[in-house]
Amino acid sequence: MSEIDQLLDDLRVVYNKMAWLNGDKMKKALEGYTASEVHWLEFIENTPDVNVTKLSEHFFMTRGAMSKATKKLIAKGAIYSIKKADNKKEIYFELTEEGRRVYNLHETLHQEFKIRDKHIFDTLSKETISEVDTFLKKYNQHLTSEIKKNDLKIQ
């Protein structure tokens, strides 16, 4: 196995272990919401002027699929839609009290997981963290460019 193959395999294994280790606790705490819905709520909370277009671009989904998803979140009482006074055509989304409850639970769990794993990250030098971060950003940009080049939409 080449070093690159090993690196990619290691990334997959780490991701799968994190998902497995954190999954049950997340599912129980965020019952009634899928992982995707929770991440959509997180994006809505942390991004100004969120509309279907911003959501679909960020999550690599069609606008139609994202529109359907936001309708589900509205039905669950997690978000509401608004129109701004200066733009009556565009629809934006914000979290309701229920949406903020889910968002805050999700954030609390992430903090708990970071505390659990802190001793590992504390062993890394700032340079190592910077190098890993640089690599992940470069790889992420490459994958984004490949998606755009191939005009792919992830469903």
Side-chain angles (χ1 to χ4, degrees):
M1 182 180 286
S2 75
E3 289 176 342
I4 300 298
D5 291 336
Q6 185 63 55
L7 177 63
L8 292 172
D9 191 53
D10 290 346
L11 283 170
R12 275 189 294 276
V13 169
V14 167
Y15 174 80
N16 289 337
K17 283 182 181 179
M18 285 176 59
W20 182 84
L21 191 59
N22 301 346
D24 280 347
K25 195 166 211 171
M26 286 277 198
K27 281 180 189 171
K28 285 176 187 164
L30 303 168
E31 189 174 354
Y33 292 89
T34 66
S36 293
E37 289 172 331
V38 173
H39 289 118
W40 298 334
L41 292 175
E42 181 180 40
F43 184 76
I44 291 168
E45 179 67 11
N46 294 325
T47 308
D49 300 325
V50 174
N51 57 21
V52 167
T53 301
K54 274 189 181 181
L55 282 161
S56 65
E57 288 173 354
H58 184 78
F59 291 101
F60 303 101
M61 295 175 67
T62 64
R63 286 196 320 260
M66 198 70 246
S67 179
K68 194 173 178 180
T70 56
K71 286 177 183 163
K72 280 186 179 180
L73 288 173
I74 289 169
K76 288 183 176 190
I79 64 172
Y80 63 95
S81 61
I82 59 169
K83 292 183 180 181
K84 297 194 176 192
D86 62 339
N87 184 351
K88 296 289 185 186
K89 183 180 175 186
E90 193 65 51
I91 296 171
Y92 299 93
F93 302 104
E94 292 186 6
L95 299 188
T96 62
E97 189 174 313
E98 167 65 5
R100 273 193 200 80
R101 181 190 72 78
V102 173
Y103 170 83
N104 288 333
L105 265 171
H106 184 243
E107 288 299 302
T108 299
L109 288 170
H110 273 289
Q111 288 303 323
E112 182 181 316
F113 301 147
K114 278 175 32 181
I115 290 167
R116 176 197 67 206
D117 301 337
K118 184 180 184 309
H119 69 282
I120 295 299
F121 293 101
D122 285 348
T123 66
L124 302 175
S125 70
K126 288 184 186 225
E127 293 79 19
T128 299
I129 293 170
S130 179
E131 287 176 12
V132 171
D133 186 53
T134 298
F135 163 73
L136 290 173
K137 284 178 179 168
K138 280 182 183 178
Y139 192 41
N140 185 41
Q141 288 171 345
H142 163 71
L143 295 174
T144 298
S145 115
E146 287 296 309
I147 289 167
K148 288 179 180 174
K149 182 171 80 177
N150 293 296
D151 196 31
L152 299 173
K153 298 288 180 190
I154 300 170
Q155 295 298 324

